[in-house]
Amino acid sequence: MNNELIYLDNNSTTAIDDRVIEAMYPYFKNNYGNASSTHHFGLAAKKIVENSREIVSSLINSDPKEIIFTSGATESINIALKGIALDPNNSKRHIITLQTEHKAVLDTCKFLETVGFEIEYLPVNPNGLIDIENLILSIRQDTLLVCIMWVNNETGVIQPIKEISTITNSKKVLLMTDATQAVGKLPINITEFNHIDLLCFSAHKFYGPKGIGALYINQETVSPRQIFPIQHGGGHERGLRSGTLNVPAIVGFAKACEIASLEMTENTTYIKSLRDILEIELLNIRGVFINGSKEHRLYNTINACFPNFDANMFIDRYQTIAVSNGSACTSALFEPSHVLLAMGLNDTDAFSAIRFSLSNKNTEQEILTVISSIKETLIQLAN
């Protein structure tokens, strides 16, 4: 990687922590047993998997039995949504979600529509937050599940999950949350919520390896038997995710969770200080505004709109600055962010938005360099 790269796309993925790599290494080279094998070598691998499960569960204060290892949040979302919906004993056909959810949720919901489910895509307010009264009115007798992202990946907007969980619990409706941008960044004690039933997250969003994540299943409200397995072949992970376990990645996942639990407060303070420097300077530029609630927002994220500014042009021009414009590329055609459109932006403003997502690897000098580059681009555009 170019040593001059300034990486501000950490909501997409973070750099893996050196301590995580060190923890994983022995399970590639020496301790490479299959955790499903019954010989001593395999049993040793199984033991480290279960130890890792305990560490991962402790990050959200759940029971280790409530953690199912997956390849990441996208797979967790598919297992949970499809599995709950396709359970032969389920007769409810109505699911509620938000228009601003990640494509992993939206595309899975689109699939469920093709097999007879009614999906209600609730709008959000211009600040990106859910209208709680609208949610209450939308829940019906045949509502199976409410699926709301905890922290939006494009804007950093934090939804009121505790309030939502109180509502769904009182209505006897399941609550699933994509917590991919929340776990490892925000302190989460799952017991403080009035029944989050399903929760998904990935290691690579907080300095862990790619290709590993988890599905939390509340054992008080959801039995694994209520989740129809969408993958078969061995019955691993309580029958919900068949396949040989990725022991090195699971070990790395656990190490990332351990580090997060110890360093989250320090990281929050440091990253927020950099985010504030960047945001203050950006808002000093005429016409720039922030997309999403500033009060209810993750401390590492800024989604800023630069009127009459081509975000893609900036990204292409500055190859040493990694940021995101929040657009999805489909069939080689760039589309405006569905999140920003749902918040009321027009196509032009959506194409003029840049997401900056910071990590503990960033420095103040990097932030100042990015600010200078943006100002330089705007000056050239004005001329």
Side-chain angles (χ1 to χ4, degrees):
M1 180 180 289
N2 188 333
N3 291 329
E4 297 180 357
L5 176 67
I6 299 175
Y7 186 78
L8 299 180
D9 195 23
N10 290 279
N11 283 7
S12 174
T13 193
T14 53
I16 189 168
D17 191 289
D18 287 342
R19 293 166 291 181
V20 172
I21 296 174
E22 184 179 353
M24 294 171 65
Y25 183 74
Y27 298 93
F28 285 114
K29 187 168 179 63
N30 299 316
N31 305 328
Y32 51 83
N34 186 325
S36 297
S37 297
T38 56
H39 49 64
H40 178 74
F41 204 35
L43 293 175
K46 180 176 176 59
K47 183 176 181 180
I48 193 63
V49 165
E50 296 312 316
N51 288 342
S52 297
R53 199 186 306 273
E54 288 186 16
I55 295 169
V56 172
S57 68
S58 68
L59 184 61
I60 61 172
N61 196 31
S62 74
D63 188 299
K65 295 187 184 70
E66 297 176 311
I67 296 295
I68 301 296
F69 288 123
T70 69
S71 65
T74 294
E75 185 182 16
S76 298
I77 288 164
N78 274 265
I79 291 171
L81 274 177
K82 291 177 182 175
I84 288 287
L86 300 177
D87 172 22
N89 295 315
N90 167 49
S91 60
K92 296 182 177 181
R93 315 299 284 181
H94 182 237
I95 293 172
I96 298 170
T97 190
L98 291 184
Q99 294 174 3
T100 52
E101 293 293 302
H102 191 277
K103 287 292 186 181
V105 167
L106 295 178
D107 287 354
T108 303
C109 285
K110 292 295 183 185
F111 161 76
L112 290 174
E113 285 182 311
T114 69
V115 292
F117 287 86
E118 179 185 350
I119 314 295
E120 190 164 354
Y121 302 91
L122 297 183
V124 294
N125 294 321
N127 60 8
L129 289 166
I130 188 173
D131 183 326
I132 291 294
E133 290 302 316
N134 195 14
L135 172 64
I136 293 171
L137 292 173
S138 298
I139 296 175
R140 312 184 320 209
Q141 286 293 110
D142 65 335
T143 300
L144 169 65
L145 178 141
V146 171
C147 181
I148 305 292
M149 184 189 288
W150 198 313
V151 176
N152 188 271
N153 57 305
E154 292 192 27
T155 62
V157 168
I158 302 172
Q159 298 293 348
I161 292 295
K162 191 166 189 176
E163 186 176 0
I164 292 169
S165 70
T166 300
I167 293 166
T168 54
N169 186 43
S170 68
K171 299 284 188 178
K172 302 188 185 312
V173 172
L174 293 175
L175 173 63
M176 171 181 160
T177 182
D178 171 6
T180 309
Q181 298 294 340
V183 174
K185 299 175 184 177
L186 298 175
I188 294 175
N189 183 344
I190 205 75
T191 63
E192 293 180 355
F193 295 82
N194 293 318
H195 292 317
I196 289 176
D197 303 288
L198 301 150
L199 179 147
C200 309
F201 58 110
S202 289
H204 72 104
K205 303 298 186 179
F206 54 101
Y207 317 109
K210 298 174 181 65
I212 187 68
L215 170 63
Y216 158 80
I217 303 172
N218 186 332
Q219 62 184 351
E220 293 184 4
T221 61
V222 180
S223 164
R225 291 189 296 273
Q226 289 177 254
I227 304 176
F228 184 79
I230 60 173
Q231 181 167 304
H232 301 86
H236 307 78
E237 292 301 279
R238 304 183 74 184
L240 293 179
R241 205 269 181 176
S242 291
T244 301
L245 291 172
N246 187 345
V247 178
I250 288 170
V251 170
F253 190 8
K255 188 63 179 180
C257 289
E258 180 183 285
I259 294 169
S261 66
L262 294 172
E263 300 180 2
M264 194 181 300
T265 300
E266 179 184 347
N267 284 340
T268 300
T269 301
Y270 176 70
I271 296 169
K272 184 178 183 302
S273 70
L274 296 181
R275 195 277 306 268
D276 290 347
I277 291 170
L278 176 58
E279 187 162 302
I280 289 168
E281 289 296 326
L282 292 178
L283 290 175
N284 281 334
I285 300 172
R286 184 176 180 180
V288 171
F289 59 89
I290 303 300
N291 296 311
S293 170
K294 293 181 67 177
E295 180 182 358
H296 303 285
R297 178 164 48 114
L298 191 65
Y299 55 84
N300 82 318
T301 305
I302 301 171
N303 191 303
C305 189
F306 302 80
N308 304 313
F309 180 84
D310 186 339
N312 282 325
M313 181 273 294
F314 176 82
I315 292 169
D316 290 340
R317 175 175 179 173
Y318 288 95
Q319 296 293 314
T320 58
I321 298 175
V323 293
S324 169
N325 63 355
S327 297
C329 184
T330 305
S331 302
L333 294 174
F334 282 102
E335 298 176 350
S337 160
H338 72 280
V339 172
L340 299 183
L341 295 182
M343 291 165 57
L345 273 70
N346 58 37
D347 284 10
T348 300
D349 282 346
F351 275 125
S352 299
I354 294 179
R355 180 189 69 184
F356 306 87
S357 48
L358 286 61
S359 81
N360 63 12
K361 311 291 184 188
N362 295 123
T363 66
E364 183 173 344
Q365 183 55 54
E366 288 180 331
I367 299 303
L368 296 176
T369 299
V370 170
I371 293 166
S372 176
S373 299
I374 290 173
K375 290 181 176 179
E376 177 185 319
T377 302
L378 290 171
I379 290 171
Q380 290 177 354
L381 288 173
N383 294 331

